[in-house]
Amino acid sequence: MRIRIENSKKSTSLLCGFVLENSTTVLGLGKFDAKTSSIINQSVKDMGGKLGKLSVIPFSGKNSIQRILLAGLGEKRNMTKDTIRAVSGKIAQKARELKLKEFSIIAPPSFVEDAISSVSQIVEGSKMGLYKFDNFKSEKLENSLDLTIIVSKSNKISMAIKNAEIIANGVIFTKSIANLPPNECTPTTLANFAKIISRNNKLKCKVISEPELKKRGFGGISAVGQGSKNKPKLIILEYNNGSKNEKPIVLVGKAVTFDTGGISLKPGEKMDEMKFDKCGGCTVLGIMKVVSELKLPINVVGIVPSVENMPGSESYRPGDIIKLHSGKTAEILNTDAEGRLILADALSYGEKSYSPKAIIDFATLTGACIVALGTNVAGMVSNDEKLTKMIYDSSNRTTEEIWGLPLNQDYMDMIKSEVADMKNVGIGKAAGTITAAAFLRNAIQNTPWIHLDIAGVAWTQTGTKEKSYNPKGATGFGVRLILDYLQNL
Ligand code: BES
Ligand code: ZN
Ligand code: ZN
């Protein structure tokens, strides 16, 4: 999709304008002759500006505008920082349905939403709305659709559009690798994706494999990975564009390319969805790609421990005691609680190797998070109030929703083991998301840290709120959230 900006409407196959609920005007549309105006006014009245409602008015004759599309924003007071994004996704899908080659969207005036936010949402919504995972379909959707945004031109607007395009491409990249089936995406495949991003974007990429993983003390990654012929990888991407002695931000993402549960085998129902257990890692790869394409003046490191969790004669077992990279030992009581083991290794490696300013991890870590918060809000656990506040601010600006859960000594005590330093499960089903976070907390010292449990939000599942720009499959949750944080450091 090529994106252009124009100060005013010219010829187009589809001119799209937003309409607020119960308003009689199309925002920013400008003047037409009397007959055309009366048709438009009647259509505005008929569709009523209801949120998400679209209404196409065909134009006849020699008009340079072939159709007008009215797009409802709902009531002004109910608008969020996501409304224009979501409606723009619908508009783009409509344009594709009409088999057009291009369409135009009039950015709403600033009393509805500030121009930078408007154009960013229009770009993100349109681009993300057109993405569909069709790698394995013989019949592909048409994908060459250009967009003109009608808004008063300025450098700031052009930059915002460029920025939003790169971010949307990053989210699409994350979705497109997260959606890959487990037979087509192993830890090695993810490592290869990381290498490709690094080559294109001036990142340094290191991949640690067996036997080096074991030799260097990555006992968690080695244990979980040993049951699969698809061997584990620890993927590291370094981006250095800040000042030399500035400490980096470290991002860690769980990438279990398939989670069967291992010897503690999961039930069969919906087990296919465990191909999405790599979403945290895919989010980190997407963020690193965007950070480098935006050339942000900071230092960031992405660390992605990747394994396949399989049952077999080589698998780790309940009862095993392993030694993590932190030096602490863990008693395995359930091989399905594998995410915390590979993350613990990656977190302590990240802290020891980079002395980071902050560590943020992303993981489809616990089913308990879905029980606690559902499928539209990610769980958050942190040891640092300032960092928490910054991530909440980013969440408000991007509408990627998160909610904090507590972590005090009582929870830390719940993972004490009789025979090792820790056990990899808590007490029964109690506070499952927090006891998993408590395990991670043990991997680091006092670096400001945020853990995001994205089990409920990383892909569309039962209860997921419909959003035009999140069609069925992976959502790329976290990419927009953390880019906002990194851009506001
Ligand atoms: N990948 C799963 C968590 C998960 C389950 C995410 C369902 C999304 C949907 C994780 O590895 C897991 O299986 N966790 C266990 C932990 C338990 C054994 C302590 C869980 O949540 O049941
Ligand atoms: Zn598991
Ligand atoms: Zn898992």
Side-chain angles (χ1 to χ4, degrees):
M1 172 188 268
R2 273 180 313 171
I3 301 178
R4 269 183 242 107
I5 44 177
E6 294 290 347
N7 282 317
S8 59
K9 59 180 186 291
K10 302 192 307 190
S11 60
T12 180
S13 316
L14 184 70
L15 178 64
C16 311
F18 295 106
V19 180
L20 286 168
E21 191 162 335
N22 297 325
S23 137
T24 53
T25 54
V26 184
L27 294 163
L29 183 62
K31 295 252 178 300
F32 282 89
D33 61 77
K35 192 174 151 217
T36 311
S37 295
S38 94
I39 297 174
I40 295 172
N41 290 344
Q42 188 58 49
S43 305
V44 169
K45 232 170 152 186
D46 291 347
M47 60 90 70
K50 290 257 183 313
L51 178 61
K53 181 133 175 81
L54 301 182
S55 170
V56 182
I57 314 171
F59 272 21
S60 56
K62 51 186 186 312
N63 212 312
S64 61
I65 295 162
Q66 289 175 5
R67 309 165 187 78
I68 286 190
L69 185 147
L70 311 178
L73 288 178
E75 286 186 53
K76 166 119 187 357
R77 64 190 168 110
N78 292 335
M79 279 183 70
T80 69
K81 289 280 172 201
D82 197 46
T83 307
I84 294 173
R85 187 181 295 109
V87 175
S88 298
K90 286 198 167 191
I91 293 174
Q93 286 160 357
K94 188 73 185 174
R96 177 164 61 193
E97 188 188 312
L98 293 168
K99 299 194 160 46
L100 307 179
K101 286 271 165 263
E102 57 76 35
F103 66 114
S104 307
I105 299 182
I106 308 167
S110 59
F111 77 88
V112 176
E113 181 69 58
D114 79 80
I116 300 287
S117 168
S118 280
V119 296
S120 305
Q121 290 188 53
I122 289 172
V123 171
E124 289 169 5
S126 303
K127 284 189 74 91
M128 285 158 58
L130 291 177
Y131 165 75
K132 190 164 185 294
F133 176 59
D134 60 4
N135 301 23
F136 296 88
K137 286 270 208 189
S138 309
E139 210 171 299
K140 313 271 188 215
L141 283 172
E142 183 52 54
N143 230 350
S144 57
L145 187 53
D146 291 340
L147 166 64
T148 304
I149 301 176
I150 295 158
V151 62
S152 112
K153 286 188 191 179
S154 72
N155 275 345
K156 271 194 176 162
I157 291 289
S158 304
M159 292 214 342
I161 289 176
K162 192 81 217 124
N163 196 68
E165 273 190 274
I166 292 175
I167 292 175
N169 282 336
V171 178
I172 291 169
F173 171 77
T174 292
K175 290 184 187 193
S176 68
I177 55 175
N179 280 329
L180 289 174
N183 59 328
E184 293 282 342
C185 187
T186 64
T188 304
T189 319
L190 286 181
N192 289 338
F193 280 123
K195 285 178 193 160
I196 293 169
I197 314 174
S198 73
R199 248 179 268 133
N200 294 347
N201 300 290
K202 290 201 189 133
L203 292 160
K204 215 196 284 164
C205 180
K206 286 191 262 185
V207 177
I208 308 177
S209 310
E210 289 299 8
E212 214 191 330
L213 282 169
K214 205 169 280 156
K215 239 190 287 167
R216 291 174 61 176
F218 293 98
I221 300 174
S222 295
V224 180
Q226 74 194 32
S228 172
K229 80 172 180 16
N230 298 314
K231 292 301 169 206
K233 301 282 171 195
L234 179 62
I235 305 162
I236 301 144
L237 284 171
E238 291 176 9
Y239 173 77
N240 282 310
N241 196 31
S243 57
K244 260 221 158 66
N245 28 24
E246 189 184 287
K247 294 173 170 181
I249 307 287
V250 163
L251 308 173
V252 175
K254 168 180 174 181
V256 177
T257 58
F258 195 66
D259 183 10
T260 63
I263 297 298
S264 315
L265 193 65
K266 284 182 181 294
E269 202 193 338
K270 292 197 180 167
M271 202 205 271
D272 60 297
E273 294 192 4
M274 283 300 114
K275 72 169 192 169
F276 292 117
D277 213 20
K278 60 183 179 303
C279 283
C282 297
T283 290
V284 170
L285 295 183
I287 296 170
M288 294 308 292
K289 179 174 183 285
V290 175
V291 164
S292 59
E293 288 177 0
L294 289 176
K295 303 188 170 63
L296 296 186
I298 51 176
N299 300 329
V300 190
V301 180
I303 305 179
V304 178
S306 185
V307 297
E308 185 177 43
N309 188 18
M310 295 290 270
S313 67
E314 314 256 296
S315 301
Y316 80 132
R317 329 154 184 76
D320 282 0
I321 297 175
I322 64 172
K323 191 170 190 175
L324 301 167
H325 189 267
S326 61
K328 292 183 183 169
T329 55
E331 178 191 13
I332 306 305
L333 290 176
N334 189 322
T335 62
D336 196 11
E338 84 297 340
R340 63 199 73 186
L341 303 172
I342 67 169
L343 284 170
D345 275 356
L347 288 167
S348 52
Y349 172 78
E351 185 180 55
K352 281 188 221 168
S353 315
Y354 298 98
S355 313
K357 201 154 44 183
I359 306 183
I360 303 174
D361 78 72
F362 311 83
T364 48
L365 203 59
T366 63
C369 192
I370 303 176
V371 177
L373 297 173
T375 48
N376 298 294
V377 180
M380 172 172 68
V381 175
S382 177
N383 62 355
D384 189 88
E385 275 182 27
K386 211 171 128 205
L387 182 58
T388 300
K389 162 93 175 54
M390 291 179 81
I391 299 294
Y392 266 129
D393 288 345
S394 291
S395 169
N396 287 334
R397 286 191 290 263
T398 57
T399 70
E400 294 209 295
E401 285 190 64
I402 54 174
W403 195 254
L405 300 169
L407 176 57
N408 60 28
Q409 190 56 45
D410 292 342
Y411 295 108
M412 302 293 283
D413 291 343
M414 287 167 76
I415 55 164
K416 286 201 167 139
S417 161
E418 296 284 337
V419 292
D421 298 332
M422 297 174 284
K423 51 183 176 146
N424 78 331
V425 296
I427 300 171
K429 284 189 188 310
T433 302
I434 306 177
T435 51
F439 193 94
L440 303 183
R441 177 69 187 85
N442 269 294
I444 54 167
Q445 308 284 320
N446 282 319
T447 306
W449 158 75
I450 283 220
H451 159 62
L452 294 171
D453 192 329
I454 57 171
V457 296
W459 71 94
T460 58
Q461 34 194 307
T462 319
T464 302
K465 208 160 45 178
E466 285 246 336
K467 284 183 183 159
S468 63
Y469 60 81
N470 277 343
K472 192 170 152 32
T475 60
F477 185 100
V479 176
R480 291 193 299 108
L481 174 75
I482 296 308
L483 276 153
D484 181 276
Y485 161 75
L486 294 173
Q487 288 186 289
N488 284 286
L489 279 176

mmCIF file of all heavy atoms in Angstrom, residues 254 259 277 338 364, ligand 3:
data_model
loop_
_atom_site.group_PDB
_atom_site.id
_atom_site.type_symbol
_atom_site.label_atom_id
_atom_site.label_comp_id
_atom_site.label_asym_id
_atom_site.label_seq_id
_atom_site.Cartn_x
_atom_site.Cartn_y
_atom_site.Cartn_z
ATOM 1 N N LYS A 254 8.997 -14.880 25.160
ATOM 2 C CA LYS A 254 8.853 -16.344 25.130
ATOM 3 C C LYS A 254 8.491 -16.808 23.718
ATOM 4 O O LYS A 254 7.522 -16.326 23.141
ATOM 5 C CB LYS A 254 7.745 -16.773 26.111
ATOM 6 C CG LYS A 254 7.301 -18.237 25.977
ATOM 7 C CD LYS A 254 6.191 -18.598 26.983
ATOM 8 C CE LYS A 254 5.646 -20.013 26.749
ATOM 9 N NZ LYS A 254 4.557 -20.372 27.683
ATOM 10 N N ASP A 259 3.641 -25.796 22.116
ATOM 11 C CA ASP A 259 3.602 -26.234 23.511
ATOM 12 C C ASP A 259 2.582 -27.357 23.671
ATOM 13 O O ASP A 259 1.390 -27.111 23.811
ATOM 14 C CB ASP A 259 3.243 -25.041 24.417
ATOM 15 C CG ASP A 259 3.257 -25.421 25.889
ATOM 16 O OD1 ASP A 259 3.717 -26.534 26.218
ATOM 17 O OD2 ASP A 259 2.792 -24.594 26.716
ATOM 18 N N ASP A 277 2.150 -20.008 21.109
ATOM 19 C CA ASP A 277 2.949 -19.867 22.324
ATOM 20 C C ASP A 277 4.312 -19.211 22.035
ATOM 21 O O ASP A 277 5.119 -19.022 22.933
ATOM 22 C CB ASP A 277 3.131 -21.245 22.986
ATOM 23 C CG ASP A 277 3.198 -21.163 24.505
ATOM 24 O OD1 ASP A 277 2.737 -20.154 25.060
ATOM 25 O OD2 ASP A 277 3.735 -22.104 25.125
ATOM 26 N N GLU A 338 6.566 -24.488 31.227
ATOM 27 C CA GLU A 338 7.889 -24.419 30.605
ATOM 28 C C GLU A 338 8.343 -22.992 30.317
ATOM 29 O O GLU A 338 9.535 -22.704 30.293
ATOM 30 C CB GLU A 338 7.892 -25.239 29.303
ATOM 31 C CG GLU A 338 7.355 -24.524 28.041
ATOM 32 C CD GLU A 338 5.886 -24.126 28.122
ATOM 33 O OE1 GLU A 338 5.161 -24.706 28.953
ATOM 34 O OE2 GLU A 338 5.458 -23.227 27.374
ATOM 35 N N THR A 364 3.148 -15.590 26.557
ATOM 36 C CA THR A 364 1.859 -16.273 26.695
ATOM 37 C C THR A 364 2.060 -17.284 27.818
ATOM 38 O O THR A 364 2.181 -18.481 27.581
ATOM 39 C CB THR A 364 1.516 -16.992 25.379
ATOM 40 O OG1 THR A 364 2.687 -17.731 24.961
ATOM 41 C CG2 THR A 364 1.148 -16.005 24.285
HETATM 42 ZN ZN ZN B 3 3.650 -22.360 27.064
#
